[in-house]
Amino acid sequence: MTQPSTTEIPPPEGLERLLGSPLVTEIEFLTARARALGSAKANALLAPLDLKIRSYAVLSLACSGAAPSQRELAEFLLLDPSQIVALVDGLEQRGLVKRETDPQDRRSKVIKGTAKGRRLLAQAAAATQQAEDQAMGNLSPTERAQLRDLLRRIAF
């Protein structure tokens, strides 16, 4: 196994000795760490809007025009349905989304963004873009596009 380069990016302060571990060459570890760092930045920037990355994801999908059901949200976001119910409940209580009967299945509800939700989403999207810029600051626009494409291919 090749050792990671420590000359391009400074190691986390005080953790230099751990960079020699084989763990830092494992894709699952690296993606989990990158996700944790990115989520922390996004959550910090979304906090003034009283959102976190998960509630932002639900709001974004609800405002997308796709009118997803709660089941579809759970499957797409890889969350337990009970987590989706809690997230939708919170957004609904704030007047950001609404549940409507699914015209194709009267037993199901679809989630749609409200005008207030779409306004907040615009602010939240700017915050998540700022978080991405911070987290991906060491990557060129071409590298970011390549990473986005690779992650999309892995995820879907």
Side-chain angles (χ1 to χ4, degrees):
M1 263 185 220
T2 61
Q3 292 299 314
S5 169
T6 57
T7 57
E8 294 177 20
I9 300 171
E13 191 172 323
L15 301 179
E16 298 87 358
R17 64 189 179 83
L18 300 179
L19 287 176
S21 165
L23 181 64
V24 299
T25 65
E26 294 181 17
I27 290 174
E28 292 302 323
F29 169 75
L30 293 171
T31 55
R33 183 167 167 80
R35 179 186 178 278
L37 291 169
S39 291
K41 289 179 187 305
N43 283 337
L45 291 169
L46 288 168
L49 303 174
D50 195 24
L51 293 172
K52 290 189 175 183
I53 198 69
R54 286 182 173 181
S55 53
Y56 165 76
V58 171
L59 180 62
S60 179
L61 291 168
C63 291
S64 72
S69 68
Q70 290 183 171
R71 179 187 49 78
E72 289 171 324
L73 288 171
E75 289 175 10
F76 191 79
L77 298 174
L78 298 176
L79 296 174
D80 187 86
S82 65
Q83 293 173 301
I84 294 297
V85 169
L87 289 166
V88 171
D89 284 349
L91 294 170
E92 189 175 43
Q93 288 167 3
R94 294 176 59 192
L96 302 173
V97 301
K98 58 186 174 182
R99 290 177 169 98
E100 292 183 0
T101 301
D102 185 343
Q104 297 168 352
D105 181 356
R106 309 296 272 158
R107 300 166 294 168
S108 182
K109 299 285 186 188
V110 294
I111 311 304
K112 293 185 176 181
T114 63
K116 181 179 178 183
R118 287 187 295 278
R119 287 191 299 272
L120 185 65
L121 176 62
Q123 295 175 333
T128 60
Q129 182 60 56
Q130 184 180 358
E132 179 183 311
D133 290 343
Q134 290 176 7
M136 304 291 166
N138 291 331
L139 299 180
S140 71
T142 301
E143 290 170 325
R144 277 194 211 189
Q146 181 181 22
L147 178 60
R148 189 173 284 111
D149 179 59
L150 292 170
L151 291 171
R152 192 177 293 122
R153 286 170 46 197
I154 291 167
F156 300 104

